[in-house]
């Protein structure tokens, strides 16, 4: 079979960008991205896409209406496709067996059942969502238990490694594409068909093929390794603050060892995003189910350390402000989980903000890309607060950093947006309450300059002291 039509179930952060790039690179393949949310599909068909991702608007503009379509007509999408990506969400279960750890596979199962119901010809079904090992077996069981005469399925695992904020570059210049399939003639043929799609722009040597289970596990392993590096450097940031070592210098020094490498050694307020915590918890649950408690405990530490880092940073903010933030105005700069995305899933800013709100603070939040409704939704969510009315009263959303900081006792920088580096901090100092505090959770700002202006500054992984030439008023060491 030569693949002519692709359908993707799930028009989210993965399905949308991935299929847009496939459409761009394979002009003769017709790509239809389907979602059961009409609102999401309408946004994909509008001028304001549902997600902010640098470069995405351009790709969509080039292909939409030619060989790229966004539709709620899932039945048509499935029937016509030769190859179907399942790119639905796989959140952590919030109730029942495995609550708080296991991946909830109800959307995967739902997608498989839709395909089983609607398919009338042979399909290659590709699991793109991140799933626990052996999830492909669920899809396989559902499809093969409902096979209609003349319809055959091949199930492949093809996890996605894009990171938000750099999704288009990650897709166009993917370091590797991973495809897992069954070790049968038909399985290998299906792998080759999917390889052919990617080979339109990815060099064949960068396409790795494995068995299905290795492919599924590799995705969890990759995220666990990346998150583990962040927790490792964050653990050392606490040592740096207590000793006078500088975590950036430590990262630079160890990163020069090619066995360690320089990436993902940026100490921070803690990692966020929809993937790291969810996927490690997923791995932990898998280990527990496989009766491997020591392995589960090892990975649990990565999550625990991340929680510790968020708590440690927030505690430092409160303690520095004389151990009370009640009725104080605090500017939160950045709410997304990293720069260049409007996504707030598991953003550390949510934890920091909700803790400060619990302590009675009045928050003034500014983020260049996160909408007001999203911030309010996150902070009033029942898992975050039992007093949504109080939250609504004490949170103001601002359309610029300058407006957020006016009259503030402190600035808490949660996301490393480039524009925060360009702010005029002299001007900001003038409009803030004194003493004026800055807590830089991303090591983003020029601390020397801030100290010189008169700010009290604290950051991650470095004890900041004023030099003797600097006004004594803001001299600062960490607790
Ligand atoms: P998302 O929540 O943004 O999108 C999922 C979409 O699937 C939703 O719009 C939902 O309405 C839709 N959906 C659910 N069931 C459906 C069905 N039966 N038919 C049609 N649509 C359906 O999620 P996401 O961030 O795109 O993540 C999708 C998967 O990819 C997850 O497993 C995630 O772990 C994985 N992943 C995410 C990233 C990332 O950066 N966000 C990166 C790599 C892998
Ligand atoms: C991650 C993986 O990188 C990607 O391969 C996978 O497909 C999905 O999960 P994403 O969560 O979008 O991507 O962003 P990433 O750049 O990995 O950042 C995750 C979090 O870690 C962010 O909160 C980021 O600020 C933080 N981070 C990242 C650090 O704190 N320090 C670092 O050195 C790198």
């Amino acid at each position: 079979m030569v693949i002519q039509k692709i359908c993707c179930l799930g028009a989210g952060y993965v399905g949308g960008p991935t299929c847009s790039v496939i459409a761009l690179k394979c002009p003769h393949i017709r790509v239809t991205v389907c979602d059961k949310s009409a609102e999401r599909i309408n946004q994909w068909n509008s001028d304001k896409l549902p997600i902010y991702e640098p470069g995405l608007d351009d790709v969509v503009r080039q292909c939409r209406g030619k060989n790229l379509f966004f539709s709620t007509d899932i039945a048509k999408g499935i029937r016509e496709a030769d190859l179907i990506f399942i790119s639905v969400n796989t959140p952590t279960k919030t109730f029942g067996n495995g609550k708080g750890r296991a991946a909830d596979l109800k959307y995967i199962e739902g997608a498989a059942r839709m395909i089983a119901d609607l398919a009338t010809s042979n399909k290659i079904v590709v699991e793109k969502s991140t799933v626990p090992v052996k999830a492909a077996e669920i899809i396989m069981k559902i499809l093969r238990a409902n096979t209609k005469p003349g319809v055959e399925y091949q199930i492949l695992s093809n996890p996605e490694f894009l990171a938000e904020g750099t999704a288009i570059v990650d897709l166009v210049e993917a370091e590797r594409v991973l495809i897992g399939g069954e070790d049968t003639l038909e399985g290998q043929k299906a792998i080759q068909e999917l390889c052919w799609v990617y080979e339109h722009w990815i060099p064949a040597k960068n396409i790795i093929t494995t068995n299905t289970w290795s492919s599924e596990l590799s995705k969890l392993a990759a995220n666990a390794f990346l998150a583990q590096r962040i927790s490792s450097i964050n653990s050392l940031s606490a040592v740096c603050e207590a000793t006078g070592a500088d975590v950036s210098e430590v990262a630079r020094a160890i990163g020069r060892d090619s066995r360690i490498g320089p990436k993902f050694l940026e100490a921070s307020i803690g990692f966020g995003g929809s993937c790291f915590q969810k996927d490690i918890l997923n791995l932990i649950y898998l280990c527990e189910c496989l009766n491997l408690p020591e392995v589960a405990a090892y990975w649990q530490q990565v999550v625990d350390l991340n929680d510790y880092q968020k708590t440690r940073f927030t505690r430092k903010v409160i303690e520095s402000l004389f151990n009370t933030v009640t009725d104080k105005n605090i500017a939160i700069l950045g709410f997304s989980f990293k720069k260049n995305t409007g996504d707030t899933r598991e953003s550390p800013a949510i934890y920091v903000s909700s803790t400060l709100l619990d302590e009675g603070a009045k928050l003034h939040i500014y983020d260049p890309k996160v909408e007001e409704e999203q911030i309010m939704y996150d902070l009033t969510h029942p898992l975050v607060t039992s007093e949504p009315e109080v939250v609504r009263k004490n949170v103001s959303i601002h359309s610029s950093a300058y407006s957020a900081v006016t009259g503030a006792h402190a600035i808490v920088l949660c996301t490393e947006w480039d524009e925060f580096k360009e702010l005029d901090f002299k001007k900001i100092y003038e409009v803030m309450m004194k003493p004026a505090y800055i807590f830089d959770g991303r090591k983003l700002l020029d601390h020397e300059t801030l100290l010189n202006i008169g700010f009290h500054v604290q950051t991650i992984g470095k004890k900041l002291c004023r030099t003797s030439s600097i006004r004594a008023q803001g001299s600062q060491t960490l607790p």
Side-chain angles (χ1 to χ4, degrees):
M1 158 173 35
V2 175
I3 290 160
Q4 292 174 324
K5 289 185 181 164
I6 289 178
C7 167
C8 175
L9 300 180
Y13 285 87
V14 167
T18 308
C19 285
S20 299
V21 168
I22 292 178
L24 181 75
K25 297 295 181 180
C26 310
H28 52 278
I29 298 182
R30 187 185 161 94
V31 183
T32 307
V33 190
C34 295
D35 205 292
K36 30 184 213 189
S37 158
E39 191 192 344
R40 225 171 195 183
I41 291 300
N42 287 341
Q43 288 173 322
W44 278 109
N45 283 321
S46 75
D47 285 339
K48 189 163 185 285
L49 302 183
I51 63 179
Y52 169 70
E53 192 60 62
L56 178 64
D57 284 29
D58 243 21
V59 177
V60 171
R61 208 173 303 122
Q62 283 183 61
C63 306
R64 195 172 55 192
K66 291 182 190 146
N67 67 328
L68 174 65
F69 301 89
F70 295 93
S71 169
T72 48
D73 193 346
I74 297 176
K76 181 163 177 265
I78 290 176
R79 262 190 217 111
E80 290 185 347
D82 307 309
L83 183 148
I84 302 170
F85 284 112
I86 299 182
S87 191
V88 301
N89 35 334
T90 49
T92 306
K93 274 186 90 169
T94 52
F95 57 87
N97 228 0
K99 172 184 169 180
R101 295 200 311 294
D104 191 340
L105 295 181
K106 70 178 173 202
Y107 301 107
I108 293 274
E109 181 172 345
R113 288 190 185 279
M114 275 177 175
I115 298 170
D117 258 10
L118 295 162
T120 49
S121 59
N122 294 350
K123 310 286 175 202
I124 298 175
V125 176
V126 184
E127 181 186 75
K128 185 152 268 304
S129 299
T130 304
V131 288
V133 185
K134 291 276 177 180
E137 208 164 71
I138 300 175
I139 302 176
M140 230 176 266
K141 272 191 185 145
I142 292 171
L143 293 179
R144 290 182 183 160
N146 293 284
T147 301
K148 301 184 190 94
V151 180
E152 279 179 23
Y153 297 105
Q154 281 305 316
I155 291 100
L156 300 178
S157 159
N158 171 222
E160 183 49 61
F161 294 102
L162 67 80
E164 289 178 30
T166 51
I168 299 302
V169 178
D170 292 345
L171 288 162
V172 171
E173 296 166 15
E175 286 176 341
R176 53 46 171 114
V177 165
L178 177 58
I179 304 175
E182 277 186 272
D183 198 10
T184 58
L185 208 62
E186 296 75 20
Q188 294 303 308
K189 225 172 125 240
I191 290 179
Q192 288 317 312
E193 314 255 24
L194 184 55
C195 284
W196 174 80
V197 173
Y198 283 111
E199 278 168 19
H200 282 75
W201 78 99
I202 304 288
K205 67 175 175 25
N206 292 357
I207 302 179
I208 302 169
T209 60
T210 64
N211 77 35
T212 314
W213 321 129
S214 304
S215 171
E216 288 178 334
L217 182 59
S218 298
K219 175 63 199 179
L220 296 184
N223 275 352
F225 264 66
L226 291 170
Q228 171 266 319
R229 283 174 71 92
I230 302 170
S231 279
S232 295
I233 199 72
N234 280 344
S235 76
L236 295 173
S237 74
V239 179
C240 289
E241 288 163 31
T243 57
D246 176 343
V247 77
S248 300
E249 292 181 351
V250 174
R252 186 153 52 94
I254 63 174
R256 276 294 183 88
D257 184 330
S258 61
R259 295 169 300 175
I260 296 174
K263 295 183 181 167
F264 268 69
L265 287 181
E266 205 67 73
S268 67
I269 183 175
F271 59 74
S274 64
C275 293
F276 281 171
Q277 175 163 307
K278 164 176 83 71
D279 294 348
I280 299 177
L281 292 172
N282 193 336
L283 179 62
I284 293 167
Y285 184 69
L286 181 75
C287 295
E288 286 169 354
C289 293
L290 296 171
N291 197 21
L292 300 168
E294 291 82 0
V295 187
Y298 174 78
W299 290 111
Q300 181 65 48
Q301 267 302 307
V302 174
V303 178
D304 291 350
L305 201 291
N306 198 50
D307 288 340
Y308 163 75
Q309 187 75 348
K310 289 185 278 188
T311 310
R312 197 171 74 81
F313 178 75
T314 315
R315 201 187 306 132
K316 196 197 288 180
V317 173
I318 297 165
E319 283 173 5
S320 304
L321 296 173
F322 316 116
N323 214 22
T324 174
V325 290
T326 308
D327 290 331
K328 285 183 180 158
N329 291 316
I330 300 188
I332 304 285
L333 296 190
F335 202 78
S336 58
F337 79 95
K338 63 187 276 199
K339 72 172 179 180
N340 292 337
T341 177
D343 194 352
T344 61
R345 290 178 289 179
E346 299 295 336
S347 177
I350 299 175
Y351 173 82
V352 173
S353 300
S354 73
T355 308
L356 294 174
L357 285 167
D358 285 346
E359 295 270 342
K362 297 195 182 312
L363 299 188
H364 298 267
I365 304 177
Y366 167 68
D367 186 285
K369 285 293 169 197
V370 183
E371 311 270 350
E372 173 164 358
E373 302 77 62
Q374 184 64 49
I375 296 176
M376 284 305 190
Y377 172 85
D378 289 332
L379 293 179
T380 56
H381 195 280
L383 290 174
V384 172
T385 183
S386 54
E387 297 181 306
E389 279 319 312
V390 177
V391 170
R392 269 187 274 273
K393 195 169 98 264
N394 288 331
V395 173
S396 321
I397 311 298
H398 293 255
S399 55
S400 83
Y402 292 110
S403 142
V405 301
T406 303
H409 294 79
I411 294 173
V412 181
L413 191 147
C414 291
T415 315
E416 74 283 21
W417 285 100
D418 289 337
E419 67 173 65
F420 296 154
K421 285 190 278 193
E422 311 304 325
L423 291 171
D424 180 346
F425 280 97
K426 271 197 184 132
K427 191 168 134 192
I428 287 177
Y429 184 75
E430 295 310 319
V431 297
M432 281 180 68
M433 303 291 284
K434 309 295 179 319
Y437 286 83
I438 294 189
F439 301 92
D440 180 358
R442 295 292 188 162
K443 301 190 292 97
L444 182 80
L445 305 174
D446 178 348
H447 303 132
E448 189 76 26
T449 304
L450 295 176
L451 288 167
N452 278 323
I453 292 172
F455 283 104
H456 291 252
V457 188
Q458 305 222 16
T459 190
I460 301 280
K462 189 179 182 185
K463 196 179 199 172
L464 292 174
C465 297
R466 287 172 170 239
T467 55
S468 51
S469 62
I470 302 168
R471 279 191 287 162
Q473 169 203 7
S475 140
Q476 192 72 45
T477 48
L478 299 177

